[in-house]
């Protein structure tokens, strides 16, 4: 499980991706996460955009979960973390599925969706 991430200013911060049900409810009450987690996951394959709020907030939520009493503001944090779908997907997969499910369908979907291009293109094999 990921327990530290490095921000773009070189600072290493602790994160705690696994959340309790109470923490989930607290995040939802503060509008940090949408109200229906289940609805988002059920529809994610057909409408991946509904996962965006979860994905974009995953690192922030894991950060404040690990640093409840002493943490930077959300704006400060977001200005110091690069947009990295692979990292955010990994954190979200740990948040909702745990490390035992890291190779489950959800994690694999995130990895496929965020896989970096190697600059290769498909050739048409027309004769």
């Amino acid at each position: 499980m990921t327990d530290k991430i490095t921000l773009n200013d070189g600072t290493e911060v602790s994160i705690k991706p696994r959340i309790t049900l109470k923490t989930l409810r607290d995040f939802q009450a503060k509008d940090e996460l949408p109200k229906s987690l289940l609805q988002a996951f059920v529809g994610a394959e057909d409408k991946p955009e509904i996962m965006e709020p979860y994905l974009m907030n995953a690192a922030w939520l894991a950060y404040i979960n690990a640093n409840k009493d002493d943490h930077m503001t959300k704006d400060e944090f977001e200005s110091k973390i690069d947009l990295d779908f692979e990292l955010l997907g990994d954190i979200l997969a740990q948040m909702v599925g745990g490390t035992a499910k890291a190779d489950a369908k959800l994690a694999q979907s995130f990895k496929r969706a965020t896989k970096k291009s190697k600059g290769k293109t498909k050739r048409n094999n027309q004769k």
Side-chain angles (χ1 to χ4, degrees), residues 51-78:
M51 288 306 298
E52 187 172 334
Y54 297 97
L55 191 62
M56 294 302 160
N57 282 323
W60 164 248
L61 298 177
Y63 168 71
I64 61 172
N65 195 38
N67 302 280
K68 290 180 183 0
D69 297 324
D70 184 29
H71 59 80
M72 63 186 90
T73 67
K74 187 174 184 178
D75 282 344
E76 289 174 304
F77 180 80
E78 287 185 345

Side-chain angles (χ1 to χ4, degrees), residues 10-108:
T11 305
E12 189 174 74
V13 295
S14 296
I15 63 169
K16 184 178 176 187
R18 296 295 294 153
I19 62 174
T20 64
L21 288 173
K22 169 130 177 48
T23 302
L24 170 67
R25 298 291 183 224
D26 290 345
F27 288 152
Q28 288 173 326
K30 295 175 188 172
D31 290 327
E32 295 282 354
L33 286 174
K35 299 292 182 208
S36 179
L37 184 64
L38 181 59
Q39 183 179 5
F41 281 99
V42 169
E45 192 167 316
D46 294 330
K47 293 182 177 183
E49 68 274 7
I50 64 177
M51 288 306 298
E52 187 172 334
Y54 297 97
L55 191 62
M56 294 302 160
N57 282 323
W60 164 248
L61 298 177
Y63 168 71
I64 61 172
N65 195 38
N67 302 280
K68 290 180 183 0
D69 297 324
D70 184 29
H71 59 80
M72 63 186 90
T73 67
K74 187 174 184 178
D75 282 344
E76 289 174 304
F77 180 80
E78 287 185 345
S79 71
K80 293 180 180 185
I81 187 164
D82 293 330
L83 181 60
D84 181 339
F85 285 112
E86 186 172 3
L87 173 65
L88 297 174
D90 284 345
I91 292 170
L92 181 59
Q94 290 175 45
M95 190 175 286
V96 299
T99 55
K101 300 194 184 231
D103 291 327
K105 185 177 179 183
L106 176 64
Q108 290 302 317

